[in-house]
Amino acid sequence: MTAVSFQEPSLYTVKAAFILDNDGNRLVSKYYDPELYPSLKEQMSFERTVFSKTHKADNEIAFLEGMTIVYKSSIDLFIYVVGSAQENELMLMSVLNCLFDSLSHILRKNVERRCLLDNMDGVFLVFDEVIDGGVILESDPQQVLLKVNYRVLQSAKEQIKWSILK
Amino acid sequence: MIKKFDKKDEESGSGSNPFQHLEKSAVLQEARIFNETPINPRRCLHILTKIIYLLNQGEHFGTTEATEAFFAMTRLFQSNDQTLRRMCYLTIKEMANISEDVIIVTSSLTKDMTGKEDVYRGPAIRALCRITDTTMLQAIERYMKQAIVDKVPSVSSSALVSSLHMVKMSYDVVKRWVNEAQEAASSDNIMVQYHALGLLYHLRKNDRLAVTKMLNKFTKSGLKSPFAYCMLIRIASKLLDETEGGHDSPLFDFIESCLRNKNEMVVYEAASAIVHMPNCTARELAPAVSVLQLFCSSPKAALRYAAVRTLNKVAMKHPSAVTACNLDLENLITDSNRSIATLAITTLLKTGSESSVDRLMKQISSFVSEISDEFKVVVVQAISALCQKYPRKHSVMMNFLSNMLRDDGGFEYKRAIVDCIISIIEENPESKETGLAHLCEFIEDCEHTVLATKILHLLGKEGPRTPQPSKYIRFIFNRVVLESEAVRAAAVSALAKFGAQNDDLLPSVLVLMQRCMMDSDDEVRDRATFYMNVLQQKQKALNAAYIFNGLSVSVPGLEKSLHQYTLEPSEKPFDIKSVPLASAPITEQKTEIAPVATSKLPEKLAPSRQDIYQSQLSGIPEFQGLGPLFKSSEPVQLTEAETEYVVRCIKHTFSRHMVFQFDCTNTLNDQLLQKVMVQMEPSEAYEVMHCIPAPNLPYSQPGSCYTLVRLPDDDPTAVSCTFSCTLKYLVRDCDPNTGEPDDDGYDDEYVLEDLEVTVADHIQKVLKPNFGAAWEEVGDEFEKEETFALASVRTLDEAVGNIISFLGMQPCERSDKVPENKNSHVLFLSGVFRGGHDTLVRARLALADGVTMQVTVRSSEETVVDVILASVG
């Protein structure tokens, strides 16, 4: 290991972020560091490793292939944020939380696979507003929602369901 | 919004994926509706989403099809649907690298960026900067400057972050926006502040003064954003590290004050920065450790993880500083997050007492199969450290390691275990047989060639000297039958060592060797044939030279000499003695034990220090024809620390000459030194032949001058000599600010400390893996023995240390470690004397009042024996 004893000051905090379903398939995936897993094959194998080590236990944080990974699961989805080994884990957590809360809001708390796929455009926009090329662009979910300004059109069935749940 | 997909899909439940069977060509076909008027925002949005989804899945788009879709997409700018527009921006960014002529959207984006709709402005800036190159950047520079200081935070942030991305490409243009960035840094918005700070630092990071000023400003005025605080802490600790600032610096105070920040993220960043600083004292660490201790009981797993990981780091250097957290760590060893539990246990293993080892090991073995390889390596390294600390615990550890060895795991993990077992075997002779047995079992089913060959080599070295060598033969020969070429070759070499050491095994080894000679691989056959012939001679000396103790030359040196020989073919056979010797490896530095294990750096074979000197010296014409460099000493300081001029000397020994390399540094900023040389006055018959001055020695730039000395030919026993040294030079005073020197100067000199040449400078360390065999090989032709009384020495350890450093020879068979509570010890030393004479020393030590030492020296040359005995006496 090279003796990088301290963290090089930089805004490039996030190395990658992705959402997998409960079979480990990629739904959304962004890699921000072109040197990290440049090919699709490497990305897929990394995602497989991460999934196999994290899907059983809801542990919030893991260390794999020299990367710090924070994650969160919801129903049949797994959301991951990846940073370097020296990265401040709490910074990564704040990105993860912001992503999750924003998604949760645009998906009307239905953070599950089907709903996510039905609102894929909104999901892409949320990612775009939270992380820009590896830099944390926004960490406050309220601000993200304001910027994305995304409205979910609901089916009648869902509308009824939500009005009952409220 | 996406329309509902067909009914069937809906009913089949959540298992279906509306994007599952998307065909790229079909989607591109659909993209034709972008050209329809009026635009149907909903359908178009759905198609754009599909395109981005496909790109996201890693689908490859050809340039033509991407360009086509991109051009069709540009029409969608006519629609005013917000989401559709935003998706257009995303498409532009995704396609920036695969489509051609993306710059045609520049004007649309510029319009959106400067328009009234705030929702569009930020994203439009980011999309625009993504497609802009250096030449076009000039055109939008004005807008960028305005955007950076825009009062809408999202616009300002977008502009700042995009500028940061463009620093790599167009540093000179972005540099001109420093004033705007400076203004943005005092924004009320926390993200704008953070991004502005990041950009400012990137623009100024090469200018230490500017960074210092910036730090001063922000640490005084304070910031709102916790992210910005983290960034400041990193900048401050980097600056502290570079300037080697003491811990009384205001920067350190700033970092320490952040330990009291409201935000956990900042507190953790500060604690981590302090922990990672080199040379922190326990007292300075204490406040950082106590906040980490608090984090250990946080309900957030990430925070507990961060805390215990950092504490683990502290425990490596300052175990006592972490002892206070032992209770908190105990609570974490049952944490449901196994990473946290592992880190807690390995930390406790470092800080805890010997009595708790068994309990912790039991705990950890209960879940070792659940944790990732990275952490398994951490565990193994902790065990390795523990074995050194508590050697008596090796049986517990060995058991544990052998269980781990049987589990599944990657190469790094297995290598860590094997290394650990090997080091235990070397430290504890009584664990040797169990350890070898575990390793034998492991290579029966080992997929890693590197590990198999390493273990076979170890078996060859250690196996023959165990009470029952025959039991290893089966394991080794199995490898010959089953494995790949590299492993087979290693197995053959190991077999040969058994045959050479044990006469009763020799016939069977010869039979096996015979079979290996039929191998399909050249290397294996060659080795088998070679060993077969050597073994059949049944001569101890041959065995020692060709089977036990391999080549002692440096490999890059050998390569160079052979290349030279092929360039200038001569009648004379190649002389192996002309090749520089490999300096014995200085005990490898312990790699840092951290869960940061897998760096992806390829391991390069770094040339040794001596190879570097060799090539440096051969570049100087006066030193041509001295032959190969025999030995380079460690640097010797010839001045006190903190003097005007700092001089250190490295002694390079050649076969008939010595070159003294003086590395000088001028620490006066108002002087330029010229024609710097060191005048040497020898006390013995050494002849100073040449001085090569350093032409210029400006302030704080090190330079080297050399002195060449011929060793006395007529008296080979004159190995030690004292030189009185004087530094001579021409001083030219200069302006400390500009460095401009005066026209004329004056000669001056400076007296240095005396330089000693000792017997150690004439002997190169060479490790003989099997000392006994080497001892027989050299033979007793020139053996001499003498007894000395070392009155001033009190312990055996001290005596051993003194002898090693005095003779500069390599201790063999780990005989430099004196077992505890013993009154006598035998030290084995080996080396090569200048001129290529193998030299071996056996020193028997006995402790009475002082230490009595009986020294036996063997060498291939009589004078060498005399020289060594004379210098000891």
Side-chain angles (χ1 to χ4, degrees), chain B residues 188-415:
Chain B
D188 283 340
N189 183 284
I190 58 167
M191 290 320 279
V192 175
Q193 196 175 54
Y194 170 55
H195 296 139
L197 178 68
L199 179 62
L200 282 175
Y201 175 70
H202 270 265
L203 291 175
R204 289 173 174 170
K205 65 178 166 193
N206 295 324
D207 179 355
R208 197 178 288 166
L209 194 69
V211 173
T212 315
K213 271 188 192 159
M214 186 171 92
L215 268 179
N216 279 340
K217 186 180 159 217
F218 289 121
T219 51
K220 279 206 190 80
S221 64
L223 292 159
K224 281 186 178 161
S225 156
F227 292 120
Y229 261 112
C230 291
M231 181 81 184
L232 269 191
I233 292 171
R234 288 180 198 177
I235 300 174
S237 61
K238 181 165 188 234
L239 200 65
L240 264 180
D241 187 74
E242 282 174 354
T243 54
E244 288 163 18
H247 296 157
D248 46 357
S249 136
L251 292 175
F252 186 82
D253 293 342
F254 162 71
I255 296 175
E256 202 174 27
S257 73
C258 290
L259 288 175
R260 295 181 290 278
N261 194 290
K262 288 196 295 293
N263 195 303
E264 281 171 346
M265 189 196 296
V266 180
V267 175
Y268 169 61
E269 184 75 43
S272 162
I274 293 177
V275 167
H276 285 102
M277 275 176 206
N279 324 320
C280 238
T281 62
R283 200 174 56 83
E284 285 158 338
L285 280 172
V289 171
S290 61
V291 301
L292 293 172
Q293 184 177 8
L294 282 181
F295 289 164
C296 280
S297 45
S298 160
K300 294 180 199 158
L303 193 51
R304 292 199 303 276
Y305 172 89
V308 68
R309 196 169 90 116
T310 316
L311 284 175
N312 193 341
K313 199 112 200 195
V314 183
M316 278 175 224
K317 279 194 201 141
H318 304 275
S320 56
V322 189
T323 325
C325 310
N326 276 2
L327 258 181
D328 305 77
L329 290 170
E330 287 279 350
N331 290 332
L332 293 181
I333 59 179
T334 48
D335 201 292
S336 64
N337 185 326
R338 294 312 190 195
S339 309
I340 297 178
T342 314
L343 286 168
I345 291 180
T346 49
T347 314
L348 282 170
L349 285 176
K350 290 182 195 112
T351 61
S353 60
E354 189 165 359
S355 57
S356 59
V357 169
D358 290 298
R359 185 173 55 87
L360 291 170
M361 295 301 286
K362 207 168 176 181
Q363 182 82 30
I364 204 165
S365 46
S366 66
F367 63 79
V368 75
S369 57
E370 294 170 44
I371 56 180
S372 68
D373 269 15
E374 274 86 351
F375 283 103
K376 286 181 184 165
V377 174
V378 176
V379 173
V380 176
Q381 286 167 333
I383 293 173
S384 181
L386 208 58
C387 291
Q388 282 172 4
K389 202 162 143 200
Y390 305 121
R392 275 182 296 163
K393 286 283 169 200
H394 69 84
S395 61
V396 186
M397 308 292 176
M398 199 56 112
N399 243 330
F400 184 75
L401 287 170
S402 70
N403 285 332
M404 288 175 99
L405 206 49
R406 285 189 204 110
D407 289 342
D408 290 337
F411 171 66
E412 288 295 335
Y413 172 44
K414 296 282 165 160
R415 186 172 72 172

Side-chain angles (χ1 to χ4, degrees), chain B residues 86 159 172 185 190 208 238 319 322 455 620 749:
Chain B
R86 297 290 313 274
D172 293 323
I190 58 167
R208 197 178 288 166
K238 181 165 188 234
V322 189
I455 292 170
I620 300 171
E749 56 179 55

Side-chain angles (χ1 to χ4, degrees), chain B residues 669 734-740:
Chain B
N669 63 357
C734 58
D735 187 323
N737 295 320
T738 61
E740 197 64 40

Side-chain angles (χ1 to χ4, degrees), chain B residues 804-847:
Chain B
I804 294 172
S805 67
F806 179 76
L807 287 177
M809 294 172 77
Q810 176 68 31
C812 297
E813 313 279 343
R814 307 186 72 78
S815 63
D816 51 331
K817 296 227 166 92
V818 182
E820 280 174 50
N821 308 322
K822 284 268 184 78
N823 294 336
S824 62
H825 182 67
V826 187
L827 174 66
F828 301 112
L829 296 172
S830 72
V832 170
F833 195 82
R834 180 168 55 81
H837 308 292
D838 266 336
T839 307
L840 302 170
V841 170
R842 186 182 64 197
R844 295 178 200 270
L845 302 161
L847 183 69

Side-chain angles (χ1 to χ4, degrees), chain B residues 13-70:
Chain B
S14 65
S16 67
N17 175 351
F19 296 101
Q20 199 155 35
H21 299 293
L22 277 189
E23 275 286 333
K24 179 178 64 173
S25 50
V27 174
L28 291 173
Q29 197 81 2
E30 280 185 281
R32 290 198 179 154
I33 66 154
F34 292 169
N35 291 319
E36 280 172 18
T37 332
I39 292 168
N40 179 338
R42 221 178 261 188
R43 285 186 66 194
C44 293
L45 181 59
H46 188 202
I47 293 162
L48 278 186
T49 311
K50 281 183 185 172
I51 292 178
I52 297 179
Y53 183 84
L54 282 176
L55 285 166
N56 212 272
Q57 290 291 320
E59 185 85 41
H60 176 75
F61 279 62
T63 313
T64 334
E65 50 192 8
T67 313
E68 227 165 78
F70 186 84

